[in-house]
Amino acid sequence: MVFRFDSMARATYALLLALLCVGVDVLLLGLDYLGVVVVLMMTIEMALMAAFMVMFMMNPAGLAPMSMTHNRRGAALLSAVVFVALAAGALLTPWPSRRGDVPPDPTRQLGRSLMGGQMLTMMVLGLALFATIVASVVLATRRGRYDRFGDDLRGRPAEPAARGGLPR
Amino acid sequence: MTLELVLLPAAALFAVGLYGALTQQSVVMLMMGLELMLGGVVLAAAAVWHHVAPVAEGQVLIVFAVTAMAVEMAVGFAVVTALFRAREIDTTDDAAKLRG
């Protein structure tokens, strides 16, 4: 339904429903902590996405039917091929029987791993998130002083922009 | 809930997300497709962790995918904001030229 709604807001809530189902599935598979993380993160992400829809996108409420797509036939063909390949892999692969038992506390298993053998992964993820914060702020802010004054912030433009508007 | 019963919806999520990422002109809708694809990866990784190998590395893979979702969304929104502020565009076709 995500890509069939005219309304982008409805598409956002359909996506939220799909990802909440993913979170519930993860919970049912025994991963309590990660399931809750997925549910909470997707809820906040979709709320932000709805806000961005209203801010930037045309037709957020779907009042005027419209289509903003391209290359639908090729994409449908490629997606169908990918689905058939993945489904065939899932159904035809001789999956091995489970090695070991599910730990009684998967959250403890994850925490001990991230603070132990997988510490490097945790550090890389932390750095990536920090870089994301910096990059997002840099991209989303207006022109800064370096754009106006160049590398040397002590200097000033030779010809400042002429003042407009009515004389004071 | 068998492994195949979870992997099939995961494959469907991935394929639907791929369709959206390839067809949508709106940058935000394109990001929705990427989110669906990563959701499929999360679901498949959780299923394989539960049914095949309940080791810690499987959970770390899910953490990695969830982090990728967060990074993709944050950077995507920032790029949309920058594009809209600079040229008032919100579709991938209009943003095909990096300069102009």
Side-chain angles (χ1 to χ4, degrees), chain A residues 29 68 70 98 106 109 140, chain B residues 23 25 28 35 50 59 85:
Chain A
L29 288 167
M68 291 179 63
H70 52 194
R98 185 159 67 191
Q109 182 194 43
Chain B
T23 55
Q25 289 181 320
V28 178
E35 288 283 312
H50 182 84
Q59 290 198 63
R85 181 168 282 153

Side-chain angles (χ1 to χ4, degrees), chain A residues 2-3 5 8 11-12 15 18-19 22 25-26 28-31 34 37-38 41-42 45-46 48-49 52-53 55-58 67-72 75-76 78-80 82-83 86-87 90-91 93 95-103 106-107 109-110 113-114 118 121 125 128-129 132 135-137 139-142, chain B residues 1 3-4 6-33 35-36 39-40 42-43 45-60 62-64 66-67 69-75 77-82 84-85 90-93:
Chain A
V2 174
F3 301 114
F5 281 130
M8 290 186 169
T12 305
L15 179 64
L19 294 175
V22 169
D25 265 355
V26 172
L28 290 176
L29 288 167
L31 295 170
L34 289 175
V37 164
V38 169
M41 204 180 91
M42 290 309 127
E45 265 191 18
M46 293 309 123
L48 286 174
M49 187 174 263
F52 271 80
M53 293 285 184
M55 283 163 57
F56 288 136
M57 302 298 142
M58 62 184 80
S67 174
M68 291 179 63
T69 56
H70 52 194
N71 193 26
R72 296 176 67 169
L78 185 62
S79 303
V82 167
F83 174 71
L86 290 175
L91 293 176
T93 300
W95 296 103
S97 55
R98 185 159 67 191
R99 288 179 297 167
D101 292 330
V102 174
T107 309
Q109 182 194 43
L110 175 64
S113 173
L114 287 178
Q118 295 290 329
T121 309
L125 290 181
L129 286 172
T132 301
S136 304
V137 171
L139 279 170
T141 48
R142 291 184 183 277
Chain B
M1 196 156 50
L3 177 61
E4 290 82 3
V6 184
L7 287 182
L8 281 179
L13 272 182
F14 190 89
V16 170
L18 179 65
Y19 172 77
L22 291 176
T23 55
Q24 296 297 316
Q25 289 181 320
S26 163
V27 180
V28 178
M29 295 292 282
L30 188 153
M31 285 196 296
M32 284 188 178
E35 288 283 312
L36 273 179
V42 167
L43 190 55
V48 170
W49 176 86
H50 182 84
H51 288 285
V52 178
V55 293
E57 284 75 11
Q59 290 198 63
V60 174
I62 298 174
V63 171
F64 198 87
V66 170
T67 308
M69 291 170 96
V71 168
E72 174 253 325
M73 190 65 82
V75 175
F77 281 143
V79 168
V80 171
T81 306
F84 197 84
R85 181 168 282 153
D90 62 353
T91 63
T92 53
D93 290 356

